[in-house]
């Protein structure tokens, strides 16, 4: 008779569950890859596990020649780089003083920050504020409104509190002030939370952001990549690409779904390349930023 160990059963179902999560996550991603590589005259891909009989990279070659894509890419990269940099700087500058119990009115400031998480002014006041500040059609309209998020401040504050106080005390004995301690001691030890917050801000707020760009940006030369993607997928702007293909003499090689899938993959590739570099800090940053209130 085989003796069943409860721990082995739990691990079996845990691995089975994780395999299911991986399959559900990769299924739509793999499907888009297959559709983007399927030529127009080939049978459509209905099964994600089925590889097309013929593979074509013509869709990617066309996107490389589509000017609006590169304009959107440049604007999105600029927005993401500028937004993440400023957000990390100002979020850290807000979170570090709040991590000190000796800060006067610490609880009051914390309550004010928490209050902004529960109540907001809404779209119309935000639009009027951006307009009155003359930020319309400017990269600053996409960067400044969401530069400091209350949730990120609290996560970073809790991480700073989890650092050993003896390190700061040693630096203070050597004559270092709060500014020097923050720059030379705290920030070098805060790579996990900085990488975690940078990933959140970069992906959720800036790289995938499109609604604020649709409201505040009217100049096509200043639009971000997600707006270009939205026009192709939702606004049926595939006809624009087909007209461009006809001008280039390749009008019969592509289908609408193939172009849409190609554009989706084209916008996801930078995130796939960047994620492995911050993944090792991700779990540690979340755990250490959340365990201490």
């Amino acid at each position: 008779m085989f003796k069943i160990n409860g721990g082995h059963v739990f691990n079996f179902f845990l691995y089975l569950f994780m395999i299911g999560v991986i399959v559900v996550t990769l299924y739509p991603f793999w499907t888009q890859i297959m559709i983007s590589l399927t030529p127009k005259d080939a049978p459509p891909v209905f099964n994600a596990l089925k590889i097309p009989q013929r593979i074509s990279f013509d869709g990617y070659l066309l996107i490389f020649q589509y000017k609006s894509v590169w304009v959107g890419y440049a604007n999105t990269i600029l927005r993401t780089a500028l937004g993440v940099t400023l957000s990390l700087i100002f979020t850290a500058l807000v979170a570090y003083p709040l991590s000190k119990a000796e800060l006067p009115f610490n609880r009051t400031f914390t309550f004010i920050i928490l209050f902004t998480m529960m109540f907001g002014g809404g779209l119309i006041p935000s639009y009027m504020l951006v307009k009155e500040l003359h930020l319309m059609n400017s990269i600053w309209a996409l960067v400044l409104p969401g530069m400091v998020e209350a949730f990120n401040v609290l996560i970073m504050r809790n991480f700073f509190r989890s650092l050993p106080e003896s390190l700061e005390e040693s630096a203070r004995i050597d004559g270092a002030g709060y500014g020097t301690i923050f720059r030379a001691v705290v920030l070098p030890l805060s790579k996990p939370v900085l990488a975690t917050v940078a990933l959140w801000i970069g992906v959720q707020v800036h790289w995938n952001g499109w609604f604020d760009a649709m409201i505040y940006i009217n100049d096509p030369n200043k639009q971000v990549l997600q707006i270009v993607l939205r026009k192709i997928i939702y606004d049926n702007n595939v006809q624009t690409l087909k007209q461009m293909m006809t001008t280039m003499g390749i009008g019969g090689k592509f289908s609408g779904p193939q172009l849409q899938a190609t554009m989706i993959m084209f916008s996801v590739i930078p995130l796939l390349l960047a994620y492995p570099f911050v993944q090792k800090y991700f779990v540690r940053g979340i755990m250490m930023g959340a365990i201490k209130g």
Side-chain angles (χ1 to χ4, degrees):
M1 296 293 293
F2 293 98
K3 186 177 181 180
I4 299 177
N5 190 313
H8 291 165
V9 174
F10 175 79
N11 290 336
F12 171 78
F13 284 104
L14 178 62
Y15 288 130
L16 190 63
F17 173 75
M18 294 306 300
I19 292 174
V21 172
I22 293 173
V23 171
V24 172
T25 303
L26 293 181
Y27 184 86
F29 182 75
W30 181 257
T31 301
Q32 292 301 313
I33 294 178
M34 293 298 101
I35 294 176
S36 68
L37 297 177
T38 303
K40 180 180 180 180
D41 55 351
V45 178
F46 295 106
N47 186 354
L49 300 178
K50 182 179 179 181
I51 300 177
Q53 297 177 355
R54 292 190 297 106
I55 293 178
S56 172
F57 293 93
D58 292 336
Y60 292 92
L61 296 178
L62 173 65
I63 294 297
F64 270 105
Q65 302 177 59
Y66 190 33
K67 180 181 177 182
S68 296
V69 172
W70 292 111
V71 172
Y73 246 117
N75 293 330
T76 300
I77 292 174
L78 175 62
R79 172 187 179 174
T80 303
L82 186 62
V84 169
T85 301
L86 292 178
S87 293
L88 286 180
I89 292 174
F90 285 94
T91 301
L93 289 176
V94 173
Y96 181 64
L98 291 177
S99 67
K100 303 302 175 185
E102 62 268 21
L103 176 71
F105 307 106
N106 190 314
R107 292 182 178 272
T108 302
F109 292 139
T110 303
F111 173 77
I112 293 174
I113 292 175
L114 286 173
F115 186 83
T116 63
M117 295 179 63
M118 297 179 286
F119 302 96
L123 177 60
I124 295 178
S126 300
Y127 180 84
M128 293 177 63
L129 178 63
V130 171
K131 185 177 181 180
E132 291 300 322
L133 292 175
H134 304 288
L135 298 178
M136 300 293 290
N137 275 322
S138 169
I139 189 69
W140 299 109
L142 310 179
V143 171
L144 293 181
M147 189 169 62
V148 178
E149 295 286 345
F151 179 77
N152 295 333
V153 171
L154 296 178
I155 290 292
M156 200 171 290
R157 182 204 66 167
N158 293 343
F159 185 92
F160 291 154
R161 284 185 175 180
S162 68
L163 297 176
E165 296 182 2
S166 58
L167 296 176
E168 296 192 27
E169 292 175 357
S170 299
R172 201 172 292 115
I173 293 175
D174 292 336
Y178 281 113
T180 303
I181 294 174
F182 176 69
R183 174 176 49 84
V185 177
V186 174
L187 288 183
L189 296 174
S190 303
K191 290 181 181 179
V193 73
L194 292 176
T196 301
V197 173
L199 183 64
W200 287 343
I201 297 172
V203 176
Q204 298 178 2
V205 179
H206 294 296
W207 190 268
N208 288 334
W210 63 273
F211 186 71
D212 52 354
M214 183 180 66
I215 296 175
Y216 302 134
I217 306 297
N218 298 320
D219 188 350
N221 294 323
K222 296 181 180 180
Q223 282 293 4
V224 296
L225 180 64
Q226 299 303 327
I227 293 295
V228 179
L229 177 62
R230 186 179 185 275
K231 288 181 178 180
I232 293 177
I233 295 178
Y234 292 104
D235 295 348
N236 198 24
N237 204 32
V238 175
Q239 297 300 325
T240 303
L241 283 175
K242 289 185 177 180
Q243 293 175 3
M244 176 183 171
M245 291 186 296
T246 302
T247 304
M248 297 167 57
I250 53 177
K253 294 184 178 180
F254 304 94
S255 64
Q258 182 188 7
L259 293 176
Q260 293 174 350
T262 302
M263 188 62 198
I264 292 174
M265 295 307 306
F266 208 65
S267 65
V268 170
I269 288 175
L271 300 181
L272 297 179
L273 296 178
Y275 184 77
F277 295 97
V278 298
Q279 189 271 340
K280 61 181 179 180
Y281 300 111
F282 191 71
V283 175
R284 184 183 171 196
I286 294 177
M287 293 299 297
M288 294 191 68
I291 59 178
K292 192 169 183 179

